[in-house]
Amino acid sequence: MDRPKIIIGRANLELGNKIAEYIGVKPVYRVLKNFADGEIRFQIKDNIRGDDVFIIQSTFPPSENIVELLLMIDAAKRASARRITVVIPYYGYARQDRKDQPRVPISAKLISNLITTAGADRLLTLDLHSPQIQGFFDILSDHLSSDGVFKWYLEGERIIPPKDERDRRYLVASPDVGGVKRIEDFSESLSVGIAVVYKRRTKPNQSEAIDLIGDVTGATVIIKDDIIDTGGTLAKAAELLMKKGAKEVHACCTHPLLSSKKVDDVMVSATEIIDKSPIQSLIVTDTIPITEEKSSPKIKIVSIAHLFAAAINNIHLEKSVSVLFQDHPMLHL
Ligand code: R5P
């Protein structure tokens, strides 16, 4: 029986290799290098004619990795792949998904156009900044959720106790009004209530947590967000939750960008902000690799490799992908 062919880009080699290992295939042999001026050079060394090809690439940092992804799609198409699925664990440029000010681009749409034009047939991704970005793609898409992986971690570490011991002292919170939909399913799967922080963005990468909807007195609160960039949103939300009487605050954040920004002429990293914040633990996935200098004892990494592996297997075998949301994806491998 034919197997899926996996091509791994350079954005996250560790995750790509783990996914291939869970599926039980050797990644396609390819050459990925740069010319002296930085231009990317790519060649597929194995025959993929007529194959079901999956190209794995997170688009972080965005620019270089998006171009690398486009070149990989183009090469696979010209090598006569039967079907090309782009597997984008973290889809960069997704935040600019609407024209909320005059004379700005809608980058999420532009990148989807580029991917489609390059020749992709399908998209497989995880926790998009907003689920409606799927509609920007004129190709089929499967949108995975990290909820199951985070639930498994929170229960395993006893941050959330067994179901019969859960009560109003456990809550899931969104750090902004835009994330309410994101926490609805999560809170339901954990059988806990919700709280919402009202955040105002003063300028890009700078925000203020203004007020809180919900009573968090004495509660263990889990903030859920899609990305942590400079860390300001999470830190400010946690401070407000503690001020309003929460007992402890943890955060689950799918994509750990963990960038640095200048504050009063000094570079401050997201990791430093999280370390100084009242957040007890920040749980992230491995869609983006965390370098040594970005790591901290507070930051825990849970892998989503098995989830992607199971989804790739099911897409390849024309089986349901939504079954993966019902139980642990490991059971489907
Ligand atoms: C906002 O809409 C996003 O979901 C994140 O909350 C935000 O982008 C995180 O950015 P930062 O860590 O820089 O506050």
Side-chain angles (χ1 to χ4, degrees), residues 14-315:
E14 200 182 324
L15 175 65
N17 284 319
K18 254 191 194 170
I19 295 173
E21 196 183 309
Y22 282 136
I23 297 171
V25 293
K26 228 171 108 198
V28 168
Y29 180 39
R30 50 71 175 156
V31 173
L32 248 176
K33 294 205 163 127
N34 292 76
F35 287 101
D37 68 343
E39 188 175 315
I40 297 163
R41 186 162 66 84
F42 176 64
Q43 188 183 11
I44 300 165
K45 291 287 194 181
D46 290 336
N47 175 26
I48 58 161
R49 188 175 288 271
D51 282 326
D52 191 16
V53 171
F54 294 79
I55 301 174
I56 304 175
Q57 178 84 323
S58 271
T59 49
F60 178 85
S63 310
E64 275 292 283
N65 288 311
I66 286 170
V67 175
E68 189 169 293
L69 172 64
L70 298 173
L71 295 176
M72 291 191 287
I73 300 169
D74 188 64
K77 188 177 153 199
R78 293 175 197 283
S80 305
R82 173 167 48 87
R83 179 173 70 171
I84 301 166
T85 301
V86 284
V87 181
I88 310 183
Y90 168 65
Y91 182 69
Y93 272 111
R95 271 174 286 189
Q96 301 173 69
D97 59 0
R98 64 202 175 282
K99 202 161 173 251
D100 57 354
Q101 290 171 58
R103 300 178 292 283
V104 295
I106 302 183
S107 64
K109 172 64 181 157
L110 173 65
I111 303 300
S112 76
N113 284 349
L114 294 173
I115 290 172
T116 310
T117 305
D121 298 300
R122 297 186 69 100
L123 164 76
L124 174 62
T125 189
L126 173 80
D127 289 353
L128 284 167
H129 181 60
S130 49
Q132 54 270 33
I133 292 173
Q134 286 173 87
F136 291 178
F137 284 85
D138 287 330
I139 53 175
L140 298 173
S141 62
D142 287 295
H143 186 207
L144 302 174
S145 160
S146 61
D147 283 3
V149 177
F150 284 131
K151 178 174 184 263
W152 169 81
Y153 182 89
L154 294 169
E155 290 177 343
E157 293 296 311
R158 306 276 299 189
I159 294 171
I160 295 274
K163 241 185 178 147
D164 51 345
E165 290 170 36
R166 277 172 222 173
D167 53 26
R168 291 184 50 218
R169 288 172 303 140
Y170 296 91
L171 294 169
V172 173
S174 171
D176 51 37
V177 177
V180 175
K181 187 76 201 94
R182 196 175 294 133
I183 61 162
E184 271 175 356
D185 292 345
F186 192 45
S187 68
E188 216 168 281
S189 75
L190 289 172
S191 312
V192 299
I194 63 171
V196 180
V197 173
Y198 172 59
K199 167 182 101 173
R200 195 172 55 194
R201 233 183 226 302
T202 37
K203 49 182 162 160
N205 282 138
Q206 202 164 301
S207 62
E208 254 178 280
I210 311 270
D211 216 338
L212 181 71
I213 305 166
D215 177 12
V216 297
T217 318
T220 294
V221 185
I222 318 291
I223 305 174
K224 175 90 169 27
D225 208 351
D226 59 333
I227 52 178
I228 169 166
D229 191 1
T230 62
T233 301
L234 283 188
K236 295 222 166 101
E239 279 160 22
L240 182 71
L241 289 162
M242 291 303 288
K243 204 168 111 197
K244 296 280 182 181
K247 184 169 136 249
E248 58 185 85
V249 177
H250 300 261
C252 291
C253 213
T254 314
H255 310 295
L257 312 187
L258 297 170
S259 315
S260 298
K261 74 167 180 183
K262 238 184 193 167
V263 180
D264 302 329
D265 274 343
V266 182
M267 288 308 277
V268 182
S269 71
T271 305
E272 287 171 78
I273 289 179
I274 294 303
D275 278 344
K276 287 191 190 134
S277 79
I279 293 173
Q280 291 211 355
S281 64
L282 165 65
I283 307 128
V284 298
T285 77
D286 53 355
T287 55
I288 293 168
I290 296 190
T291 52
E292 183 73 36
E293 72 272 16
K294 285 184 178 180
S295 57
S296 145
K298 268 195 188 183
I299 303 178
K300 318 283 176 198
I301 306 167
V302 289
S303 183
I304 37 76
H306 48 266
L307 179 60
F308 275 101
I312 290 172
N313 254 342
N314 285 17
I315 290 169

